[in-house]
Amino acid sequence: MATYLITGTNRGIGYEYCRQLHARGDVVVAACRKPSPQMEGLGVRIEAGVEITSDGSIARLKQRLRSLPIDVLIHNAGILESTNLKDFDPESVRRQFEVNAIGPLRVTHALLDHLLPGAKVILMTSRMGSIDDNSSGGSYGYRMSKVALCMAGKSLAIDLKSQGIAVALLHPGLVRTRMTGFTAQGITPEESVDGLLARIDNLNLENSGTFWHANGEILPW
């Protein structure tokens, strides 16, 4: 039994992480801005009012956690806004950087003393953050923020290795969630999280810093 703290848990992949982990007997701390009725009925510890772009909000979360050791910290909170070249919106790009790239680093920094040797940090990124894999262009804010998150994750893997903490960068696949407009081409959150948990369970200091697809494929930078 391990203790998982997960951000962005009120729906979609975040909720499914909580559901599957709770079902297998792990301790779950579900951090979100506002819990959904579905989340409230799950029976896990909910930490509401968590805004990962706010140092004050993160500090209050840390206070409520007290000295709780965290075995796995999963950064799932994120936003996707359309930012194409014709209708370029720099404020949208900034928002996505704040949430998708800087937010996870803020939370990791604040909770470092909760991560003991053997702990794991999981950054939910996207293959849209792969420069080599970009064949369709566009999505400037989302793509750029996810590239930045991948770089942060690689640095964290190097910096935290001496503390015995492993880091993974995970792409969930194309998933049928609200973020993707419940695309019919996507897999279910259940399928995605099943693969993601397999990657997390197999994460160690030897493969720390790897950019994985949920299906186990190593993705290009």
Side-chain angles (χ1 to χ4, degrees), residues 8 13 49 63 74 99 112 160 203:
I13 293 170
Q63 277 188 325
I74 301 178
V99 176
L112 268 180
L160 296 178
L203 174 65

Side-chain angles (χ1 to χ4, degrees), residues 9-29:
T9 55
N10 67 327
R11 62 178 185 268
I13 293 170
Y15 168 80
E16 185 58 25
Y17 262 130
C18 295
R19 189 191 69 79
Q20 289 196 30
L21 289 166
H22 180 61
R24 76 182 197 180
D26 290 306
V27 175
V28 175
V29 181

Side-chain angles (χ1 to χ4, degrees), residues 91-121:
E91 288 307 314
S92 174
V93 174
R94 289 190 185 97
R95 279 193 300 272
Q96 291 177 85
F97 260 87
E98 281 288 338
V99 176
N100 297 343
I102 302 174
L105 203 52
R106 269 195 172 110
V107 174
T108 302
H109 176 260
L111 301 184
L112 268 180
D113 57 355
H114 293 261
L115 302 172
L116 304 181
K120 302 176 182 182
V121 176

Side-chain angles (χ1 to χ4, degrees), residues 176-221:
R176 292 199 295 270
T177 64
R178 191 168 80 174
M179 180 180 279
T180 63
F182 299 101
T183 175
Q185 288 74 42
I187 61 175
T188 65
E190 291 84 354
E191 291 174 277
S192 175
V193 170
D194 186 60
L196 292 166
L197 287 177
R199 307 285 78 73
I200 294 170
D201 290 342
N202 291 323
L203 174 65
N204 55 55
L205 290 178
E206 295 303 313
N207 57 27
S208 182
T210 303
F211 183 11
W212 275 299
H213 192 296
N215 65 13
E217 175 189 357
I218 294 178
L219 296 173
W221 298 110

Side-chain angles (χ1 to χ4, degrees), residues 79-174:
I79 59 171
L80 167 61
E81 297 180 0
S82 177
T83 46
N84 59 39
L85 189 57
K86 181 180 178 183
D87 303 310
F88 181 66
D89 180 358
E91 288 307 314
S92 174
V93 174
R94 289 190 185 97
R95 279 193 300 272
Q96 291 177 85
F97 260 87
E98 281 288 338
V99 176
N100 297 343
I102 302 174
L105 203 52
R106 269 195 172 110
V107 174
T108 302
H109 176 260
L111 301 184
L112 268 180
D113 57 355
H114 293 261
L115 302 172
L116 304 181
K120 302 176 182 182
V121 176
I122 309 302
L123 303 175
M124 293 301 298
T125 183
S126 169
R127 71 186 311 156
M128 288 181 72
S130 165
I131 295 174
D132 190 62
D133 190 64
N134 184 358
S135 60
S136 57
S139 300
Y140 287 92
Y142 191 71
R143 287 188 185 279
M144 291 164 65
S145 66
K146 290 299 187 179
V147 171
L149 180 61
C150 286
M151 181 59 79
K154 188 65 176 180
S155 285
L156 283 172
I158 295 167
D159 293 341
L160 296 178
K161 190 170 186 177
S162 63
Q163 300 177 44
I165 299 170
V167 179
L169 299 117
L170 300 183
H171 167 58
L174 180 60

